[in-house]
Amino acid sequence: MSTPIVEHIALELVALIDAITIAAGFNQDLTAVRPKRIHLEGDINENGTVIIEQEDIALAEESTDSIVWRQPFTLQALVLDSDTATTAIDTRLNQVRSDIEKKLMTGSNWKLNGYGRVMLKSAEKFIADPQVAGIAVNIDVLYEVQGDDPYAQG
């Protein structure tokens, strides 16, 4: 069974997020999760978890030989501190956001192993319930497939 290019991209994002560790020089260890069912992200509430949510895709460009897609992803990083935390929540959110952005854009990571090109869009804080807060880093990935085959690069 073949793997669509967009799935390769999602797997590359997982690998990059999982490589954000204290041992690698970042501020915290992050772990990527791709939910198994739609709208069940709320069942996940562990500090350092980054939920990779694939948004609705948009056509960026089309020719007779290839199609360029703009695939948005939201990387929802959970930042859960205890009542005894001494670091401001905004400081923690800034560190998590910056670690994700640094990993995505350092070296050739933004090329996602040749599958596409990462474009940073925005980031916003969120509160899922009184105990679950975080930062959502929004990116687009531009990628090209053959006009008649979404499993083959264009």
Side-chain angles (χ1 to χ4, degrees), residues 94-109:
N94 290 335
Q95 289 173 335
V96 170
R97 188 195 94 231
S98 295
D99 279 355
I100 291 171
E101 290 174 357
K102 180 179 178 180
K103 187 62 181 174
L104 290 177
M105 304 312 286
T106 298
S108 63
N109 290 346

Side-chain angles (χ1 to χ4, degrees), residues 43-64:
D43 293 343
I44 303 167
N45 60 357
E46 189 171 320
N47 185 56
T49 298
V50 179
I51 301 165
I52 298 178
E53 186 175 346
Q54 188 173 320
E55 307 293 347
D56 294 335
I57 194 166
L59 182 66
E61 184 180 318
E62 187 174 15
S63 71
T64 55

Side-chain angles (χ1 to χ4, degrees), residues 25-130:
F26 292 93
N27 288 299
Q28 61 268 310
D29 295 333
L30 298 179
T31 304
V33 172
R34 291 181 68 203
K36 305 295 185 224
R37 293 186 355 205
I38 294 176
H39 299 300
L40 285 185
E41 311 79 44
D43 293 343
I44 303 167
N45 60 357
E46 189 171 320
N47 185 56
T49 298
V50 179
I51 301 165
I52 298 178
E53 186 175 346
Q54 188 173 320
E55 307 293 347
D56 294 335
I57 194 166
L59 182 66
E61 184 180 318
E62 187 174 15
S63 71
T64 55
D65 297 327
S66 66
I67 299 170
V68 178
W69 291 105
R70 179 181 297 271
Q71 176 62 67
F73 286 90
T74 300
L75 310 176
Q76 300 175 49
L78 304 183
V79 181
L80 310 174
D81 283 332
S82 71
D83 291 337
T84 61
T86 58
T87 303
I89 188 65
D90 283 340
T91 300
R92 291 267 293 119
L93 294 171
N94 290 335
Q95 289 173 335
V96 170
R97 188 195 94 231
S98 295
D99 279 355
I100 291 171
E101 290 174 357
K102 180 179 178 180
K103 187 62 181 174
L104 290 177
M105 304 312 286
T106 298
S108 63
N109 290 346
W110 63 274
K111 295 179 185 177
L112 298 173
N113 208 18
Y115 289 113
R117 180 168 56 104
V118 173
M119 299 170 53
L120 297 173
K121 284 183 9 184
S122 64
E124 62 262 346
K125 295 188 276 189
F126 66 85
I127 299 173
D129 69 45

